[in-house]
Amino acid sequence: MSRQANRGTESKKMYWYLPFISPSASLHLMNSELFTLTYGALVTQLCKDYENDEDVNKQLDKMGYNIGVRLIEDFLARSNVGRCHDFRETADVIAKVAFKMYLGITPSVTNWSPAGDEFSLILENNPLVDFVELPDNHSGLIYSNLLCGVLRGALEMVQMAIDVKFIQDILKGDNVTEIRLKFIKRIEENLPAGEE
Amino acid sequence: MDTRFTRGKSPILERSLTRPKTEVSLSAFALLFSEIVQYCQNRVYSVSELQNKLSELGQQVGVRILDVLVMREKNGKRETKVINMLLFIKVNVWKALFGKEADKLEQANDDDKTYYIIEKEPLINAYISVPKENSTLNCASFTAGIVEAILSYSGFPAKVTAHWHKGTTLMIKFDESVITRDKALDGR
């Protein structure tokens, strides 16, 4: 693979806009099926491109992170949510506002750690997994891992370092899908991201 | 036999086929699609390769939506005539995926194998601006892939490509055999 050629495509980046904000929120909704199937096509492609599930999980997380970094701006512009004062408030905003806005679902927030630095999101209907059945040879695949990256990336942009992972998954035979979020630390403002 | 279908760990076979009410935000889709295009872009060297890759991904979607729509909207009956098949795509498929009918369906004047689906402002391209040096690139290749898979898996092998013309035009070129068969059916 020639590095030069890679550079060539690299420089021709496209510019992406997000839907403009209008008073009628319904203009910004679409049937979830195209979204679900498009995500499925992506996962299928990654499974072809990478040798093992672990690498697919990593790539999904990475792509999710890139999405999260951009999504947070869109979210803050549309939602009129102010700064969250603690992690509990953050949890509420994620579940009741953000998930509702982007995926049309409202996960429940449960299983708080005594210190208040960890909680779980319980997803009853994860739109990413409609029509999905995991084949037996992909037991290591975390199908919706993109979501972890999205949460991590978005929260990082509001100065929160968190750890996100799936601990239950309907696709693996669990009764519910559970995402666990753990607060790690507050990122200092004087170190803007990308400045390393 | 029975157990084979009920023992599975997945409830997917039990699901109702009626149109789900769930909706997601257009931003979510735009962001996901943007990541997909960038991912593909990093693995190819040319615009045409990128379009092929997007088309392949679209085909994955087309294959899957076809059966659901045929069951849901056509009572399980498939189309056998070219024109009905194209209308099924223009109306049913477009409504299911994009919430509206495609703007236009036209046949090429000089060629009975070629049809066009014309979309002034396709959803897929609405939020992308393509750089000048890449101006032939059309991310609607993804949609072209969807259409190609739907046609091919319905027994109408065709090649579908996306072009910048009156907005975005999907050019459908049917296999010779499809048109021959259609004419034969007409004769009956």
Side-chain angles (χ1 to χ4, degrees), chain A residues 3-124:
Chain A
R3 194 155 271 274
Q4 209 60 43
N6 218 345
R7 283 276 156 79
T9 50
E10 212 43 55
S11 68
K12 292 171 188 164
K13 280 279 178 227
M14 268 167 279
Y15 298 92
W16 296 84
Y17 301 96
L18 287 170
F20 295 114
I21 298 163
S22 90
S24 154
S26 66
L27 284 178
H28 306 297
L29 293 176
M30 60 185 278
N31 183 327
S32 64
E33 285 180 339
L34 178 61
F35 179 74
T36 302
L37 291 171
T38 302
Y39 183 71
L42 169 67
V43 178
T44 310
Q45 184 64 42
L46 293 181
C47 286
K48 279 187 204 151
D49 291 348
Y50 291 91
E51 289 184 0
N52 58 56
D53 291 347
E54 197 46 49
D55 290 344
V56 175
N57 296 340
K58 268 191 210 140
Q59 181 63 30
L60 283 172
D61 181 81
K62 194 173 128 194
M63 295 173 92
Y65 178 85
N66 296 339
I67 291 177
V69 166
R70 298 187 59 204
L71 178 132
I72 187 73
E73 286 186 35
D74 185 65
F75 175 74
L76 293 174
R78 282 176 209 278
S79 64
N80 283 325
V81 169
R83 185 167 276 277
C84 292
H85 297 291
D86 57 23
F87 204 40
R88 283 183 186 270
E89 207 181 322
T90 310
D92 269 353
V93 170
I94 291 172
K96 297 195 181 118
V97 190
F99 265 86
K100 179 84 196 137
M101 199 156 144
Y102 290 101
L103 295 181
I105 53 168
T106 312
S108 47
V109 179
T110 55
N111 299 343
W112 278 98
S113 63
D117 62 347
E118 269 187 65
F119 66 91
S120 292
L121 292 171
I122 307 284
L123 282 65
E124 306 237 335

Side-chain angles (χ1 to χ4, degrees), chain A residues 1 10 12 15-17 28 30-33 41 46 49 66-67 74 78 101-102 130-131 133 136, chain B residues 9-10 12 15 20 22-27 34-35 39 41-42 45 57 60 72 96 127-129:
Chain A
M1 218 197 275
E10 212 43 55
K12 292 171 188 164
Y15 298 92
W16 296 84
Y17 301 96
H28 306 297
M30 60 185 278
N31 183 327
S32 64
E33 285 180 339
L46 293 181
D49 291 348
N66 296 339
I67 291 177
D74 185 65
R78 282 176 209 278
M101 199 156 144
Y102 290 101
D130 283 349
F131 303 125
E133 190 170 32
D136 291 337
Chain B
K9 57 179 188 264
S10 161
I12 196 168
R15 278 180 47 137
T22 50
E23 287 182 312
V24 300
S25 97
L26 217 44
S27 301
S34 137
E35 274 306 308
Y39 172 79
Q41 200 177 12
N42 285 334
Y45 296 115
L57 284 163
Q60 296 278 348
R72 195 188 282 161
Y127 309 107
I128 311 170
S129 76

Side-chain angles (χ1 to χ4, degrees), chain A residues 133 136 173, chain B residues 2-14:
Chain A
E133 190 170 32
D136 291 337
Chain B
D2 281 343
T3 51
R4 203 188 126 213
F5 291 107
T6 49
R7 203 176 47 195
K9 57 179 188 264
S10 161
I12 196 168
L13 297 174
E14 315 291 331

